[in-house]
Amino acid sequence: MSKQSSSRASAAIRASLKKRYARERRFQWYGRLAVLIGFVFLFILLADIVSKGTPAFTQHYIRVSVELEPDVLGIERDATRDQIFNANYLGAIRASLRAMFPDVTGRKEKQQLYRLLSIGAEYNLRDMVLKNPGLIGHTSEIWLRAHAEAGSYLKGQVTADLPESDRKVKDMQVAWLDQLRAQGRTESRFNTTFFTQGDSREPEMAGIRVALYGSFFTLLVTFAIAFPIGVSAAVYLEEFAPRNRLTDLIEININNLAAVPSIVFGLLGLAVFINFFELPRSAPLVGGIVLSLMTLPTIIITSRAAIQAVSPSIRQAALGVGASRLQTVTHHVLPVAMPGILTGSIIGMAQALGESAPLLMIGMVAFIMDAPAGVTDPSTVLPVQIFLWADSPERGFTEKTSAAIMVLMGFLILMNGLAVYLRRHFEKK
Amino acid sequence: MMERVQQTDTAGIGDVKRPLDIREHVERADYQTIGEPFSGDAKMTARNVNVYYDEKQAITNVSLDIGRNEVIAMIGPSGCGKSTFLRTLNRMNDIIPACRVEGEFALDGEDIYGADQDTVLLRARVGMVFQKPNPFPKSIYENVAYGPRIHGLAHNKAELDEIVEDSLRRASLFNEVKDQLDKPGTGLSGGQQQRLCIARAIAVSPEVILMDEPCSALDPIATARIEELIDELRENYTIAIVTHSMQQAARVSQRTAYFHMGKLIEVGETKQIFTMPKHELTENYITGRFG
Ligand SMILES: Nc1ncnc2c1ncn2[C@@H]1O[C@H](COP(=O)(O)OP(=O)(O)OP(=O)(O)O)[C@@H](O)[C@H]1O
Ligand SMILES: [Mg+2]
């Protein structure tokens, strides 16, 4: 090539370089913009959930001087336990409230006054008295749970600036609550109810206990089914199955199965396990089976990838000293692949934990107040509980929804963290 | 225990097996191996071996004996089928789905591709050391103890300890690692790892050891250690070694086989092959004209 033409070529390259670099820079900016937009939306979402959900972790209590005289409770002085159980606590509480605000006389006003306290207050009081019958015959200062609407005023979520028609706490109640607060008769406490109670129609009494138990049992079933089956299938397909049409077909179908909408698994569960096998409805057992079908492809695919990634030299080494194929797999391949398998399984479990659609199909939406004691008891799960609460109009449930989402996300982060930890931990070895 | 199995097996085999006629083999081949591929006291025999990967033929009509307590070196240009042939001797080719092996193989007269031949037992008798050191990602102790344990060669911990120590000593590694037997084998240097792999191979008391370029990943000092080791091991074992180093073949082996494009061109006394090769291809190769 002549000198002239080569210099012409380099001039042409130089001219095109500028364009190429500009294009590259532009592309980088698109990328950064995309990441930024993603982060902004994520941040807005998280900020919204956290700001809405945080108040649900506290709850207000009101201190009331309750006169626990036998004639108020409608019992004898030497009442039996049964009588104490059935005593008129509601009456006692109402009488006490009336005594604290003697100028309330009208029927409507009284109703308003009673609504300062939770409907569950009488049961809390009953439990206290049952535990300590010595309270009978005395007047005691007792902390009782505030009604959700009163609570949201005390939390500052609703202010008196709003026109009265736009809020559920009425002007009268606001005045009483202000008075109570001034007397030091109100207190904000950590909301243990949220974790120790099942669902309820009253927001201040509703909790995620049933959903937590349900999610736990469901995942237990899912793991117990999906992990052994998934890993065995992966081992068989990777290490033993011949490569032919049939195994190709199976492989394609496993990949397709991973893309099936989860609600389809719910329909399957309904048709097969509940209608045909007559397994109990709403139970973690069926939920777990359905979710294990959903997570199986994930576990199989990730396990196969992990097994494939094990260096063939390790297999050769084991076979070379005379290990059988099964020994090679169980003694050498699986231990090396285990971190990858566990990571995949945990991610599959995390998916299952966040799943609601298939569980709606098998009736895990029932309103359940008592925590399940086993996998066959009716139950609900966290995402379904969130779905149910999100549907309720009361302000108290809005914050509960966000709080439950926070708990669910906490578990998801925990599980993903565990997966990352396992991977790091084993990689170091 | 090993010996007993061997005896019972050979007892039944002798009358089943048809003695092979050397002339028949030579006539059938479309080429002739020059030199002496057969041995008076053969530990392993391979006759009319053809190996295919799918349609592609990697070994063409090779017949070769490996003599008892000898070191035989296999040399030849890259891709000529040395590893493929070596792997047929302990059926490591079985795990390659595309690979098809034809021919007759025997270990002490016993057919090793027979229907009743157990590959697990065969590989315990014919051990293998690979090109790249491949210790298990387990402790040094576990690496060596694994084989004896799965074969039930030790009856208690003390016996196992003894096998491990003895194997490491014979692989001249014991003194370097005796204080760190519980450390991972993958943490050793390349040369130490390869000696560990040799210790692992001899721990199951094989009769034959196949080595596929055992020193290609090692520096000259580590290589020298392993060559010494091979010399010592010859007393008790039969060794087939694939190597790219002519010097190594000359130093460690008694017989040398030269492969070329899947064919066994020439076999003979190592000294003769390196000083007076009979075939032109062999001469070209050892004088460095190609390869
Ligand atoms: N697993 C395999 N699948 C398909 N073909 C293979 C496979 N292994 C080896 N071959 C082919 O068989 C022929 C012989 O290969 P082999 O590995 O035995 O050569 P080699 O003499 O050991 O070479 P090198 O000295 O480079 O190790 C080569 O042409 C190679 O392409
Ligand atoms: Mg090779």
Side-chain angles (χ1 to χ4, degrees):
Chain A
M1 203 189 259
S2 72
K3 218 175 181 181
Q4 216 182 357
S5 75
S6 79
S7 77
R8 199 157 0 103
S10 73
I13 293 172
R14 213 167 290 139
S16 76
L17 268 186
K18 224 188 222 164
K19 246 198 228 157
R20 280 193 255 170
Y21 283 140
R23 204 175 296 156
E24 189 172 318
R25 261 195 307 276
R26 224 168 30 237
F27 185 79
Q28 284 196 3
W29 274 109
Y30 291 150
R32 280 180 205 147
L33 203 67
V35 172
L36 188 74
I37 291 174
F39 264 106
V40 166
F41 279 120
L42 183 69
F43 181 78
I44 293 174
L45 180 76
L46 283 182
D48 180 57
I49 290 172
V50 171
S51 66
K52 273 193 194 145
T54 318
F57 292 105
T58 58
Q59 198 168 38
H60 273 83
Y61 281 74
I62 296 175
R63 183 158 53 95
V64 185
S65 323
V66 190
E67 202 184 339
L68 291 167
E69 289 303 332
D71 49 333
V72 180
L73 292 170
I75 52 174
E76 305 289 317
R77 197 157 278 281
D78 49 355
T80 62
R81 216 183 136 75
D82 250 17
Q83 286 170 319
I84 294 179
F85 186 87
N86 291 315
N88 182 11
Y89 295 103
L90 186 62
I93 290 174
R94 290 186 169 177
S96 314
L97 282 173
R98 281 197 306 271
M100 283 163 74
F101 298 97
D103 36 342
V104 178
T105 48
R107 219 179 69 85
K108 275 237 170 92
E109 284 90 65
K110 276 186 196 159
Q111 288 295 329
Q112 297 269 331
L113 181 62
Y114 300 153
R115 276 176 66 86
L116 287 182
L117 290 179
S118 164
I119 292 177
E122 57 173 310
Y123 307 114
N124 292 37
L125 181 61
R126 178 190 69 199
D127 293 343
M128 269 182 243
V129 175
L130 278 174
K131 213 189 271 169
N132 183 8
L135 290 171
I136 296 171
H138 303 279
T139 301
S140 316
E141 298 285 323
I142 289 172
W143 287 102
L144 292 171
R145 205 185 293 139
H147 191 276
E149 302 300 341
S152 71
Y153 173 73
L154 289 170
K155 280 177 191 169
Q157 291 168 319
V158 180
T159 58
D161 306 341
L162 275 173
E164 194 182 11
S165 55
D166 288 0
R167 52 181 150 89
K168 288 210 172 152
V169 237
K170 300 299 162 195
D171 281 346
M172 251 183 306
Q173 291 179 307
V174 167
W176 294 326
L177 286 170
D178 284 342
Q179 199 180 329
L180 285 169
R181 181 147 51 190
Q183 292 169 357
R185 284 183 172 274
T186 64
E187 188 177 271
S188 167
R189 294 190 190 169
F190 180 71
N191 186 359
T192 49
T193 314
F194 187 61
F195 297 97
T196 55
Q197 297 297 316
D199 201 3
S200 163
R201 302 207 192 283
E202 305 302 321
E204 77 272 13
M205 286 160 64
I208 53 171
R209 183 183 158 95
V210 175
L212 278 181
Y213 272 64
S215 277
F216 173 76
F217 282 128
T218 307
L219 280 195
L220 206 65
V221 174
T222 306
F223 189 79
I225 295 174
F227 187 74
I229 296 183
V231 174
S232 317
V235 166
Y236 177 74
L237 287 173
E238 248 347 283
E239 298 283 336
F240 296 100
R243 294 264 174 281
N244 57 26
R245 281 261 182 79
L246 183 69
T247 45
D248 282 351
L249 195 73
I250 290 174
E251 181 162 353
I252 291 170
N253 275 308
I254 289 172
N255 291 338
N256 286 344
L257 218 55
V260 169
S262 56
I263 196 153
V264 175
F265 290 104
L267 286 168
L268 178 88
L270 181 64
V272 176
F273 301 117
I274 294 183
N275 291 346
F276 186 74
F277 287 112
E278 301 190 339
L279 292 177
R281 207 171 264 275
S282 308
L285 178 66
V286 180
I289 295 174
V290 166
L291 290 181
S292 68
L293 292 179
M294 200 194 78
T295 39
L296 256 180
T298 312
I299 294 184
I300 294 178
I301 291 169
T302 50
S303 300
R304 288 188 70 176
I307 292 170
Q308 241 167 37
V310 175
S311 153
S313 72
I314 291 178
R315 278 173 250 251
Q316 287 175 0
L319 293 169
V321 294
S324 68
R325 286 216 292 181
L326 186 64
Q327 284 172 326
T328 304
V329 172
T330 54
H331 296 166
H332 301 286
V333 176
L334 274 186
V336 177
M338 205 33 92
I341 293 175
L342 284 180
T343 307
S345 308
I346 291 171
I347 287 170
M349 289 291 120
Q351 274 175 3
L353 174 62
E355 199 57 64
S356 58
L359 302 182
L360 297 179
M361 299 307 301
I362 56 153
M364 289 189 90
V365 272
F367 179 87
I368 292 145
M369 293 173 68
D370 296 318
V375 293
T376 50
D377 290 350
S379 161
T380 185
V381 292
L382 266 178
V384 172
Q385 187 69 72
I386 291 168
F387 170 79
L388 285 173
W389 282 345
D391 234 17
S392 311
E394 286 99 330
R395 160 171 289 284
F397 280 123
T398 317
E399 66 176 40
K400 291 262 160 5
T401 308
S402 297
I405 292 175
M406 284 166 72
V407 172
L408 181 62
M409 282 201 304
F411 278 111
L412 290 177
I413 291 171
L414 216 65
M415 288 171 81
N416 283 311
L418 183 69
V420 172
Y421 169 78
L422 281 175
R423 198 163 46 219
R424 293 261 168 81
H425 178 76
F426 283 104
E427 258 166 18
K428 255 193 295 174
K429 275 200 184 169
Chain B
M1 182 206 139
M2 224 71 200
E3 273 157 15
R4 201 179 55 229
V5 172
Q6 189 187 319
Q7 276 164 8
T8 51
D9 278 353
T10 37
I13 290 290
D15 37 35
V16 179
K17 239 183 123 53
R18 180 174 58 93
L20 283 161
D21 186 339
I22 292 169
R23 251 161 299 143
E24 182 190 312
H25 148 66
V26 174
E27 274 159 25
R28 261 204 273 163
D30 56 352
Y31 71 95
Q32 287 196 353
T33 299
I34 296 182
E36 189 41 77
F38 307 110
S39 158
D41 182 18
K43 179 72 186 172
M44 295 193 83
T45 58
R47 292 287 180 276
N48 305 320
V49 177
N50 288 292
V51 182
Y52 306 85
Y53 291 106
D54 288 324
E55 295 310 304
K56 185 168 165 286
Q57 185 156 17
I59 294 284
T60 310
N61 232 325
V62 168
S63 295
L64 182 65
D65 280 357
I66 297 169
R68 203 175 297 282
N69 290 13
E70 79 171 0
V71 178
I72 182 166
M74 300 177 184
I75 60 171
S78 184
C80 67
K82 306 178 295 288
S83 303
T84 302
F85 181 73
L86 198 70
R87 284 200 301 263
T88 59
L89 298 175
N90 70 342
R91 295 185 59 173
M92 283 299 272
N93 279 328
D94 289 14
I95 58 174
I96 303 171
C99 187
R100 200 172 88 243
V101 178
E102 289 172 357
E104 287 163 60
F105 296 84
L107 170 63
D108 283 330
E110 171 190 341
D111 185 6
I112 60 179
Y113 279 78
D116 56 344
Q117 175 66 53
D118 192 324
T119 50
V120 169
L121 177 62
L122 173 68
R123 290 182 191 139
R125 292 175 65 189
V126 183
M128 194 157 194
V129 176
F130 299 84
Q131 178 168 358
K132 237 181 95 213
N134 56 354
F136 298 131
K138 298 180 190 240
S139 71
I140 294 173
Y141 182 93
E142 268 313 306
N143 261 281
V144 183
Y146 181 69
R149 186 176 291 142
I150 58 171
H151 295 303
L153 299 186
H155 297 103
N156 53 44
K157 178 88 170 77
E159 272 182 43
L160 194 61
D161 287 350
E162 203 183 306
I163 293 178
V164 170
E165 183 177 334
D166 187 50
S167 307
L168 285 170
R169 269 193 208 288
R170 280 197 282 168
S172 67
L173 185 63
F174 187 70
N175 287 331
E176 288 159 66
V177 301
K178 61 172 178 257
D179 302 321
Q180 41 171 333
L181 289 177
D182 54 341
K183 296 271 161 56
T186 39
L188 296 172
S189 78
Q192 289 175 323
Q193 287 189 16
Q194 196 60 301
R195 276 180 282 152
L196 179 61
C197 292
I198 294 176
R200 180 177 67 191
I202 58 186
V204 292
S205 315
E207 297 154 43
V208 183
I209 303 177
L210 310 175
M211 297 183 172
D212 192 352
E213 298 181 46
C215 302
S216 65
L218 305 183
D219 67 45
I221 296 172
T223 302
R225 299 283 306 260
I226 299 220
E227 288 179 4
E228 271 171 42
L229 182 59
I230 292 172
D231 235 23
E232 286 163 25
L233 292 175
R234 186 163 64 89
E235 286 178 24
N236 302 310
Y237 305 94
T238 301
I239 296 173
I241 178 170
V242 169
T243 175
H244 270 151
S245 153
M246 246 78 73
Q247 291 88 334
Q248 183 167 69
R251 278 194 299 263
V252 301
S253 70
Q254 285 82 55
R255 279 206 312 154
T256 298
Y258 174 69
F259 286 78
H260 187 92
M261 291 181 67
K263 294 178 178 170
L264 177 56
I265 303 298
E266 183 168 353
V267 194
E269 294 280 316
T270 297
K271 219 178 275 162
Q272 174 257 311
I273 294 280
F274 282 103
T275 52
M276 288 182 302
K278 292 178 186 155
H279 199 287
E280 200 189 334
L281 286 170
T282 321
E283 184 171 358
N284 285 348
Y285 183 72
I286 61 170
T287 52
R289 245 166 278 169
F290 61 64

